[in-house]
Amino acid sequence: MSLPNFVAAATGALTRSGVDRADFLCALHVKRSLHDALLKELGLPPDRTEYLDDTGHMSGVDPLLALDRAARAGRLMPGDHVLLLAAGTGYTWAAAVIRWTGLP
């Protein structure tokens, strides 16, 4: 149930943003197999995401922590479209796309 709903949220956010595909994924921490399936569905290689295996799931902060880590590590390039994916209790899914311009 989660994979199709994450993909639908991602597709909707990309469409509303006028973007064909994401360049980087910052998602809610989920089990590795679901994360890998998301990458495959979104057409992203494993090096274009941040997987929080050392922290695990910490709720809504996961996508922002992943974004912070990717930015500090220099893994985001100006102009990258970063897909933020989240989900919540009650079976809700959400996505947003940001265009990375760099750290101040």
Side-chain angles (χ1 to χ4, degrees):
M1 176 179 213
S2 292
L3 180 60
N5 285 315
F6 271 125
V7 172
T11 302
L14 290 165
T15 299
R16 287 187 307 276
S17 298
V19 178
D20 292 332
R21 63 182 294 279
D23 299 306
F24 201 91
L25 173 64
C26 294
L28 184 80
H29 181 74
V30 294
K31 65 183 181 177
R32 175 62 83 168
S33 60
L34 178 53
H35 189 86
D36 291 346
L38 276 169
L39 289 175
K40 183 177 179 182
E41 288 288 325
L42 297 171
L44 289 170
D47 66 336
R48 299 304 294 158
T49 190
E50 194 69 37
Y51 186 71
L52 303 174
D53 56 351
D54 64 323
T55 62
H57 177 57
M58 298 182 297
S59 192
V61 72
D62 293 357
L64 298 177
L65 176 61
L67 178 64
D68 181 67
R69 285 186 175 182
R72 290 175 190 263
R75 300 182 65 213
L76 301 175
M77 304 301 294
D80 274 354
H81 290 101
V82 181
L83 177 63
L84 305 173
L85 277 180
T89 304
Y91 294 97
T92 59
W93 288 264
V97 177
I98 61 170
R99 185 172 49 85
W100 186 252
T101 58
L103 290 172

Short mmCIF file of all heavy atoms in Angstrom, two decimals, residues 46-98:
data_model
loop_
_atom_site.label_atom_id
_atom_site.label_comp_id
_atom_site.label_asym_id
_atom_site.label_seq_id
_atom_site.Cartn_x
_atom_site.Cartn_y
_atom_site.Cartn_z
N PRO A 46 21.06 4.86 -6.58
CA PRO A 46 21.25 4.89 -5.13
C PRO A 46 22.10 6.05 -4.61
O PRO A 46 21.97 6.44 -3.45
CB PRO A 46 21.94 3.55 -4.83
CG PRO A 46 21.60 2.67 -5.97
CD PRO A 46 21.44 3.58 -7.16
N ASP A 47 22.93 6.64 -5.45
CA ASP A 47 23.77 7.74 -4.99
C ASP A 47 23.04 9.09 -5.02
O ASP A 47 23.62 10.12 -4.69
CB ASP A 47 25.07 7.82 -5.79
CG ASP A 47 24.85 8.19 -7.25
OD1 ASP A 47 23.74 7.95 -7.78
OD2 ASP A 47 25.80 8.71 -7.86
N ARG A 48 21.76 9.08 -5.40
CA ARG A 48 20.98 10.32 -5.45
C ARG A 48 19.90 10.36 -4.37
O ARG A 48 18.80 10.86 -4.56
CB ARG A 48 20.36 10.51 -6.85
CG ARG A 48 21.38 10.60 -7.96
CD ARG A 48 22.40 11.71 -7.77
NE ARG A 48 21.74 13.01 -7.85
CZ ARG A 48 22.22 14.13 -7.33
NH1 ARG A 48 23.37 14.13 -6.69
NH2 ARG A 48 21.58 15.26 -7.43
N THR A 49 20.27 9.83 -3.21
CA THR A 49 19.38 9.84 -2.05
C THR A 49 20.22 9.81 -0.79
O THR A 49 21.43 9.58 -0.83
CB THR A 49 18.42 8.62 -2.07
OG1 THR A 49 17.43 8.78 -1.05
CG2 THR A 49 19.17 7.32 -1.85
N GLU A 50 19.58 10.08 0.30
CA GLU A 50 20.22 10.02 1.61
C GLU A 50 19.37 9.05 2.43
O GLU A 50 18.18 9.30 2.65
CB GLU A 50 20.23 11.41 2.25
CG GLU A 50 21.11 11.57 3.43
CD GLU A 50 22.59 11.53 3.11
OE1 GLU A 50 23.02 12.03 2.06
OE2 GLU A 50 23.34 10.96 3.94
N TYR A 51 19.94 7.91 2.83
CA TYR A 51 19.20 6.91 3.60
C TYR A 51 19.66 7.00 5.05
O TYR A 51 20.85 6.92 5.34
CB TYR A 51 19.45 5.50 3.04
CG TYR A 51 18.61 4.45 3.70
CD1 TYR A 51 17.24 4.39 3.47
CD2 TYR A 51 19.17 3.52 4.55
CE1 TYR A 51 16.45 3.43 4.08
CE2 TYR A 51 18.39 2.55 5.17
CZ TYR A 51 17.04 2.51 4.92
OH TYR A 51 16.25 1.56 5.53
N LEU A 52 18.73 7.17 5.96
CA LEU A 52 19.04 7.44 7.37
C LEU A 52 19.20 6.15 8.17
O LEU A 52 18.56 5.96 9.20
CB LEU A 52 17.95 8.31 7.98
CG LEU A 52 17.70 9.65 7.27
CD1 LEU A 52 16.51 10.36 7.87
CD2 LEU A 52 18.95 10.51 7.32
N ASP A 53 20.10 5.29 7.75
CA ASP A 53 20.26 4.01 8.43
C ASP A 53 20.90 4.13 9.81
O ASP A 53 20.74 3.25 10.64
CB ASP A 53 21.03 3.01 7.58
CG ASP A 53 22.39 3.51 7.14
OD1 ASP A 53 22.70 4.71 7.34
OD2 ASP A 53 23.14 2.71 6.57
N ASP A 54 21.57 5.23 10.09
CA ASP A 54 22.21 5.38 11.40
C ASP A 54 21.29 6.02 12.44
O ASP A 54 21.57 5.95 13.63
CB ASP A 54 23.50 6.20 11.29
CG ASP A 54 23.24 7.63 10.84
OD1 ASP A 54 22.35 7.84 9.99
OD2 ASP A 54 23.94 8.53 11.33
N THR A 55 20.20 6.62 12.00
CA THR A 55 19.27 7.24 12.94
C THR A 55 17.94 6.52 13.01
O THR A 55 17.26 6.56 14.03
CB THR A 55 18.98 8.71 12.56
OG1 THR A 55 18.36 8.74 11.28
CG2 THR A 55 20.24 9.55 12.59
N GLY A 56 17.55 5.92 11.90
CA GLY A 56 16.23 5.31 11.84
C GLY A 56 15.16 6.37 11.70
O GLY A 56 15.44 7.54 11.44
N HIS A 57 13.93 5.96 11.89
CA HIS A 57 12.79 6.85 11.71
C HIS A 57 12.62 7.77 12.92
O HIS A 57 12.58 7.31 14.05
CB HIS A 57 11.53 6.00 11.51
CG HIS A 57 10.28 6.79 11.39
ND1 HIS A 57 10.11 7.77 10.43
CD2 HIS A 57 9.14 6.76 12.10
CE1 HIS A 57 8.91 8.28 10.57
NE2 HIS A 57 8.29 7.69 11.58
N MET A 58 12.53 9.07 12.64
CA MET A 58 12.35 10.06 13.71
C MET A 58 11.13 10.94 13.46
O MET A 58 11.05 12.05 13.96
CB MET A 58 13.59 10.93 13.84
CG MET A 58 14.83 10.16 14.23
SD MET A 58 16.26 11.22 14.43
CE MET A 58 16.46 11.86 12.79
N SER A 59 10.22 10.50 12.61
CA SER A 59 8.99 11.20 12.31
C SER A 59 9.20 12.20 11.18
O SER A 59 10.03 11.98 10.31
CB SER A 59 8.41 11.87 13.55
OG SER A 59 7.09 12.32 13.32
N GLY A 60 8.45 13.30 11.21
CA GLY A 60 8.44 14.26 10.11
C GLY A 60 9.76 14.94 9.84
O GLY A 60 9.92 15.58 8.80
N VAL A 61 10.71 14.81 10.73
CA VAL A 61 12.01 15.45 10.53
C VAL A 61 12.89 14.68 9.53
O VAL A 61 13.84 15.24 9.00
CB VAL A 61 12.75 15.61 11.89
CG1 VAL A 61 13.25 14.28 12.41
CG2 VAL A 61 13.91 16.59 11.76
N ASP A 62 12.55 13.45 9.23
CA ASP A 62 13.40 12.61 8.37
C ASP A 62 13.79 13.28 7.04
O ASP A 62 14.99 13.34 6.72
CB ASP A 62 12.75 11.27 8.09
CG ASP A 62 12.60 10.37 9.30
OD1 ASP A 62 13.07 10.75 10.39
OD2 ASP A 62 12.01 9.29 9.15
N PRO A 63 12.84 13.77 6.24
CA PRO A 63 13.23 14.37 4.97
C PRO A 63 14.13 15.60 5.14
O PRO A 63 15.04 15.83 4.35
CB PRO A 63 11.90 14.75 4.31
CG PRO A 63 10.89 13.87 4.95
CD PRO A 63 11.38 13.68 6.35
N LEU A 64 13.88 16.37 6.19
CA LEU A 64 14.71 17.56 6.41
C LEU A 64 16.10 17.21 6.90
O LEU A 64 17.08 17.86 6.52
CB LEU A 64 14.02 18.50 7.39
CG LEU A 64 12.67 19.04 6.90
CD1 LEU A 64 12.01 19.92 7.95
CD2 LEU A 64 12.83 19.78 5.59
N LEU A 65 16.22 16.18 7.72
CA LEU A 65 17.55 15.71 8.13
C LEU A 65 18.31 15.20 6.92
O LEU A 65 19.50 15.49 6.75
CB LEU A 65 17.44 14.63 9.20
CG LEU A 65 18.77 14.00 9.63
CD1 LEU A 65 19.71 15.05 10.22
CD2 LEU A 65 18.52 12.87 10.63
N ALA A 66 17.64 14.44 6.06
CA ALA A 66 18.28 13.94 4.86
C ALA A 66 18.73 15.09 3.96
O ALA A 66 19.84 15.06 3.41
CB ALA A 66 17.32 13.02 4.10
N LEU A 67 17.90 16.11 3.82
CA LEU A 67 18.25 17.29 3.02
C LEU A 67 19.48 17.99 3.62
O LEU A 67 20.41 18.34 2.90
CB LEU A 67 17.07 18.25 2.96
CG LEU A 67 17.29 19.55 2.20
CD1 LEU A 67 17.54 19.29 0.73
CD2 LEU A 67 16.09 20.47 2.38
N ASP A 68 19.49 18.17 4.93
CA ASP A 68 20.61 18.82 5.59
C ASP A 68 21.90 18.02 5.38
O ASP A 68 22.94 18.60 5.07
CB ASP A 68 20.32 18.97 7.09
CG ASP A 68 21.45 19.66 7.83
OD1 ASP A 68 21.68 20.86 7.58
OD2 ASP A 68 22.12 18.99 8.65
N ARG A 69 21.82 16.72 5.56
CA ARG A 69 23.02 15.88 5.38
C ARG A 69 23.53 15.94 3.95
O ARG A 69 24.73 16.05 3.72
CB ARG A 69 22.71 14.44 5.76
CG ARG A 69 22.63 14.23 7.23
CD ARG A 69 22.49 12.77 7.54
NE ARG A 69 22.52 12.55 8.98
CZ ARG A 69 22.46 11.38 9.53
NH1 ARG A 69 22.37 10.28 8.79
NH2 ARG A 69 22.49 11.25 10.84
N ALA A 70 22.61 15.84 2.98
CA ALA A 70 23.02 15.89 1.58
C ALA A 70 23.66 17.23 1.24
O ALA A 70 24.68 17.29 0.55
CB ALA A 70 21.82 15.62 0.68
N ALA A 71 23.09 18.30 1.75
CA ALA A 71 23.63 19.64 1.48
C ALA A 71 25.01 19.81 2.09
O ALA A 71 25.94 20.28 1.42
CB ALA A 71 22.68 20.70 2.02
N ARG A 72 25.15 19.42 3.35
CA ARG A 72 26.45 19.58 4.02
C ARG A 72 27.54 18.72 3.40
O ARG A 72 28.71 19.07 3.44
CB ARG A 72 26.31 19.26 5.51
CG ARG A 72 25.52 20.31 6.27
CD ARG A 72 25.31 19.89 7.72
NE ARG A 72 24.39 20.75 8.40
CZ ARG A 72 24.75 21.76 9.17
NH1 ARG A 72 26.03 22.05 9.35
NH2 ARG A 72 23.83 22.49 9.76
N ALA A 73 27.13 17.58 2.82
CA ALA A 73 28.10 16.69 2.18
C ALA A 73 28.42 17.11 0.75
O ALA A 73 29.23 16.48 0.08
CB ALA A 73 27.56 15.26 2.19
N GLY A 74 27.76 18.17 0.27
CA GLY A 74 28.01 18.65 -1.09
C GLY A 74 27.42 17.74 -2.16
O GLY A 74 27.88 17.74 -3.30
N ARG A 75 26.39 17.00 -1.81
CA ARG A 75 25.78 16.06 -2.75
C ARG A 75 24.69 16.70 -3.61
O ARG A 75 24.19 16.07 -4.53
CB ARG A 75 25.23 14.86 -1.99
CG ARG A 75 26.36 14.14 -1.24
CD ARG A 75 25.89 12.92 -0.50
NE ARG A 75 25.44 11.94 -1.48
CZ ARG A 75 24.46 11.09 -1.25
NH1 ARG A 75 23.80 11.11 -0.11
NH2 ARG A 75 24.10 10.22 -2.17
N LEU A 76 24.33 17.93 -3.31
CA LEU A 76 23.31 18.64 -4.08
C LEU A 76 23.98 19.71 -4.93
O LEU A 76 24.85 20.43 -4.46
CB LEU A 76 22.28 19.29 -3.15
CG LEU A 76 21.54 18.36 -2.21
CD1 LEU A 76 20.65 19.14 -1.26
CD2 LEU A 76 20.74 17.34 -3.00
N MET A 77 23.53 19.79 -6.16
CA MET A 77 24.07 20.79 -7.08
C MET A 77 23.04 21.88 -7.30
O MET A 77 21.83 21.60 -7.31
CB MET A 77 24.41 20.12 -8.43
CG MET A 77 25.35 18.93 -8.33
SD MET A 77 26.94 19.34 -7.58
CE MET A 77 27.60 20.43 -8.79
N PRO A 78 23.48 23.14 -7.46
CA PRO A 78 22.51 24.20 -7.77
C PRO A 78 21.66 23.81 -8.98
O PRO A 78 22.18 23.32 -9.98
CB PRO A 78 23.39 25.41 -8.06
CG PRO A 78 24.65 25.15 -7.28
CD PRO A 78 24.85 23.66 -7.36
N GLY A 79 20.36 24.00 -8.82
CA GLY A 79 19.42 23.63 -9.87
C GLY A 79 18.81 22.26 -9.71
O GLY A 79 17.84 21.93 -10.39
N ASP A 80 19.37 21.43 -8.81
CA ASP A 80 18.77 20.11 -8.56
C ASP A 80 17.35 20.27 -8.05
O ASP A 80 17.06 21.14 -7.22
CB ASP A 80 19.56 19.33 -7.49
CG ASP A 80 20.74 18.56 -8.04
OD1 ASP A 80 20.90 18.51 -9.27
OD2 ASP A 80 21.49 17.99 -7.22
N HIS A 81 16.47 19.40 -8.54
CA HIS A 81 15.11 19.33 -8.02
C HIS A 81 15.09 18.22 -6.97
O HIS A 81 15.29 17.05 -7.31
CB HIS A 81 14.11 19.06 -9.14
CG HIS A 81 13.96 20.22 -10.04
ND1 HIS A 81 14.58 20.31 -11.26
CD2 HIS A 81 13.29 21.39 -9.87
CE1 HIS A 81 14.28 21.46 -11.82
NE2 HIS A 81 13.51 22.15 -11.00
N VAL A 82 14.89 18.61 -5.73
CA VAL A 82 14.93 17.67 -4.61
C VAL A 82 13.50 17.33 -4.23
O VAL A 82 12.69 18.21 -3.97
CB VAL A 82 15.68 18.27 -3.41
CG1 VAL A 82 15.73 17.28 -2.25
CG2 VAL A 82 17.10 18.70 -3.81
N LEU A 83 13.22 16.03 -4.20
CA LEU A 83 11.90 15.54 -3.82
C LEU A 83 11.91 15.18 -2.34
O LEU A 83 12.71 14.37 -1.91
CB LEU A 83 11.54 14.32 -4.66
CG LEU A 83 10.23 13.62 -4.36
CD1 LEU A 83 9.04 14.55 -4.61
CD2 LEU A 83 10.11 12.35 -5.19
N LEU A 84 11.04 15.83 -1.58
CA LEU A 84 10.87 15.52 -0.16
C LEU A 84 9.60 14.67 -0.04
O LEU A 84 8.53 15.09 -0.49
CB LEU A 84 10.71 16.80 0.65
CG LEU A 84 11.82 17.84 0.51
CD1 LEU A 84 11.44 19.12 1.25
CD2 LEU A 84 13.13 17.30 1.01
N LEU A 85 9.74 13.49 0.55
CA LEU A 85 8.61 12.58 0.71
C LEU A 85 8.37 12.29 2.18
O LEU A 85 9.32 12.04 2.93
CB LEU A 85 8.88 11.25 0.02
CG LEU A 85 8.62 11.14 -1.46
CD1 LEU A 85 8.96 9.73 -1.95
CD2 LEU A 85 7.20 11.48 -1.80
N ALA A 86 7.11 12.30 2.57
CA ALA A 86 6.76 12.02 3.97
C ALA A 86 5.45 11.24 4.01
O ALA A 86 4.72 11.15 3.03
CB ALA A 86 6.63 13.31 4.76
N ALA A 87 5.19 10.68 5.17
CA ALA A 87 3.92 9.99 5.42
C ALA A 87 3.61 10.15 6.89
O ALA A 87 4.50 10.46 7.70
CB ALA A 87 4.03 8.51 5.05
N GLY A 88 2.35 9.93 7.23
CA GLY A 88 1.98 10.11 8.62
C GLY A 88 0.95 9.12 9.09
O GLY A 88 0.37 8.36 8.30
N THR A 89 0.73 9.15 10.38
CA THR A 89 -0.27 8.30 10.98
C THR A 89 -1.62 8.60 10.34
O THR A 89 -1.93 9.74 10.03
CB THR A 89 -0.33 8.56 12.49
OG1 THR A 89 0.97 8.37 13.03
CG2 THR A 89 -1.31 7.63 13.17
N GLY A 90 -2.41 7.59 10.15
CA GLY A 90 -3.69 7.78 9.50
C GLY A 90 -3.59 7.57 8.00
O GLY A 90 -4.49 7.90 7.25
N TYR A 91 -2.47 7.01 7.58
CA TYR A 91 -2.26 6.71 6.17
C TYR A 91 -2.39 7.95 5.30
O TYR A 91 -3.26 8.04 4.45
CB TYR A 91 -3.18 5.57 5.71
CG TYR A 91 -2.83 4.28 6.41
CD1 TYR A 91 -3.53 3.88 7.53
CD2 TYR A 91 -1.76 3.51 5.97
CE1 TYR A 91 -3.18 2.71 8.21
CE2 TYR A 91 -1.41 2.35 6.63
CZ TYR A 91 -2.13 1.94 7.75
OH TYR A 91 -1.78 0.81 8.40
N THR A 92 -1.53 8.90 5.56
CA THR A 92 -1.43 10.10 4.73
C THR A 92 -0.04 10.14 4.11
O THR A 92 0.93 9.71 4.72
CB THR A 92 -1.65 11.37 5.56
OG1 THR A 92 -0.66 11.42 6.60
CG2 THR A 92 -3.04 11.41 6.16
N TRP A 93 0.05 10.63 2.90
CA TRP A 93 1.32 10.75 2.20
C TRP A 93 1.44 12.18 1.68
O TRP A 93 0.44 12.79 1.30
CB TRP A 93 1.38 9.78 1.02
CG TRP A 93 1.55 8.37 1.48
CD1 TRP A 93 2.73 7.69 1.58
CD2 TRP A 93 0.53 7.47 1.91
NE1 TRP A 93 2.49 6.43 2.06
CE2 TRP A 93 1.15 6.26 2.27
CE3 TRP A 93 -0.85 7.57 2.03
CZ2 TRP A 93 0.45 5.16 2.73
CZ3 TRP A 93 -1.56 6.47 2.49
CH2 TRP A 93 -0.92 5.29 2.84
N ALA A 94 2.66 12.71 1.66
CA ALA A 94 2.88 14.08 1.21
C ALA A 94 4.20 14.17 0.47
O ALA A 94 5.13 13.40 0.74
CB ALA A 94 2.87 15.04 2.39
N ALA A 95 4.29 15.11 -0.44
CA ALA A 95 5.52 15.33 -1.19
C ALA A 95 5.63 16.80 -1.55
O ALA A 95 4.63 17.49 -1.74
CB ALA A 95 5.54 14.48 -2.45
N ALA A 96 6.85 17.25 -1.67
CA ALA A 96 7.14 18.61 -2.12
C ALA A 96 8.42 18.56 -2.94
O ALA A 96 9.29 17.71 -2.72
CB ALA A 96 7.32 19.56 -0.93
N VAL A 97 8.53 19.46 -3.88
CA VAL A 97 9.73 19.57 -4.71
C VAL A 97 10.32 20.94 -4.47
O VAL A 97 9.62 21.96 -4.50
CB VAL A 97 9.39 19.40 -6.20
CG1 VAL A 97 10.63 19.59 -7.06
CG2 VAL A 97 8.77 18.03 -6.46
N ILE A 98 11.63 20.95 -4.21
CA ILE A 98 12.34 22.23 -4.09
C ILE A 98 13.45 22.27 -5.12
O ILE A 98 13.99 21.22 -5.50
CB ILE A 98 12.91 22.46 -2.66
CG1 ILE A 98 13.92 21.37 -2.29
CG2 ILE A 98 11.79 22.52 -1.63
CD1 ILE A 98 14.69 21.66 -1.02
#
